[in-house]
Amino acid sequence: MPREAPYLAVADALRARIVAGEWAVGGRLPSRARLAVAYGVGRNVVQRAVDRLIAEGLLEGRAGSGTYVRTPRERLPMVRARRHGRSGHPATALTERGRAGAWDFRTRVRVPAPEAIAGRLAIAPGDLCVSTHYEFLADGVPVQLSHSWEPLALTGGTPVVLPEQGPLAGKGVVERMRAIGVSVETVAELPRPARATRQQAHLLGIAVGDLVLRIERTLYDAGGRPVETADIVIPDARREVLYEFAVDQRRQPSS
């Protein structure tokens, strides 16, 4: 198992000391040289660790003065909710309370399914898919990434083959599938903590290796067939995810 990068270990240690109140808000941290000696690392390692905590909003640098503890940024809630529309079909949506959403996308058709994606879609590796990369924005700031895959055998030749073009552009997987006679009944999500890759960090405006929440989401039709799967990435330092589901009163046990 790969060892954690030294700068991440130093950042974790400094974060723990800040959270414990060793340095109060507005307090000045020791110099880079002193921290390097304390942790047995080079000054460049300390610099990367401090830069990471500045990006998270725990620290701020003051030119010619040093590095100080600042009030952490508010982690705005993003709500994942399973709701039933007028027709009774379930859908899972990700929203940020009080913020209007927008997104950019890039769709490719006839993309061979990688082995892991093929397993999630119950198709053979190399089977053709429609692949769409999304960048979701709030107030113009990237807050979420998503990479969606749909089997081309399911939507090929139909008006809804392109998720963001055609008569149901932007309406979501559930409504698009319904238009071709496929009823989406189940949404399964598997959240896992992860570290941002270089590409993810660039798109989200965070540091490489920053904590993110990676959600594997798969939608199934009434017969249990997977119709879409996606990898969703949310930056941990800026957003917290709240799962919210309606209670089916008809299935509640009697008291």
Side-chain angles (χ1 to χ4, degrees):
M1 186 173 180
R3 188 171 65 89
E4 184 178 46
Y7 85 94
L8 293 176
V10 174
D12 289 344
L14 291 175
R15 188 188 301 105
R17 294 172 70 179
I18 294 168
V19 171
E22 182 171 339
W23 299 297
V25 172
R28 185 178 183 275
L29 264 67
S31 67
R32 304 286 199 279
R34 287 181 59 189
L35 289 174
V37 171
Y39 289 106
V41 296
R43 292 190 189 187
N44 62 325
V45 172
V46 173
Q47 183 63 58
R48 290 189 67 188
V50 168
D51 287 345
R52 174 184 175 85
L53 298 181
I54 289 174
E56 291 180 10
L58 285 174
L59 298 176
E60 62 180 356
R62 300 178 188 174
S65 178
T67 305
Y68 294 79
V69 178
R70 61 167 290 182
T71 303
R73 295 171 184 165
E74 178 187 8
R75 295 174 76 234
L76 299 176
M78 302 185 77
V79 182
R80 298 194 66 78
R82 187 184 186 204
R83 304 187 184 281
H84 289 266
R86 286 179 234 173
S87 61
H89 291 268
T92 297
L94 181 60
T95 60
E96 186 176 13
R97 290 199 191 278
R99 301 293 181 100
W103 61 89
D104 294 327
F105 69 92
R106 178 171 57 88
T107 295
R108 293 188 300 155
V109 181
R110 302 183 63 81
V111 179
E115 185 173 355
I117 295 298
R120 286 157 57 176
L121 288 174
I123 60 178
D127 280 1
L128 299 181
C129 293
V130 177
S131 169
T132 304
H133 287 267
Y134 291 94
E135 297 175 44
F136 291 88
L137 311 171
D139 292 340
V141 177
V143 294
Q144 176 198 340
L145 304 175
S146 179
H147 187 185
S148 167
W149 298 78
E150 297 177 0
L152 187 60
L154 181 62
T155 60
T158 74
V160 300
V161 64
L162 300 177
E164 302 297 330
Q165 297 179 46
L168 295 179
K171 296 296 185 181
V173 179
V174 175
E175 192 166 338
R176 288 175 46 247
M177 293 298 169
R178 187 185 309 142
I180 59 173
V182 177
S183 175
V184 176
E185 295 291 343
T186 306
V187 181
E189 294 193 346
L190 178 61
R192 290 193 177 104
R195 299 283 185 179
T197 65
R198 185 170 300 279
Q199 181 182 26
Q200 292 166 351
H202 173 72
L203 293 173
L204 290 169
I206 59 178
V208 176
D210 274 1
L211 283 172
V212 296
L213 180 65
R214 180 173 174 267
I215 303 173
E216 293 182 9
R217 183 198 68 192
T218 305
L219 276 64
Y220 299 86
D221 67 11
R225 172 182 56 172
V227 301
E228 187 256 12
T229 194
D231 288 321
I232 300 166
V233 177
I234 302 166
D236 181 78
R238 296 181 183 173
R239 302 294 183 268
E240 59 186 5
V241 177
L242 169 67
Y243 280 84
E244 183 180 276
F245 298 97
V247 175
D248 188 344
Q249 298 294 337
R250 295 169 299 179
R251 299 186 179 181
Q252 294 301 299
S254 57
S255 55

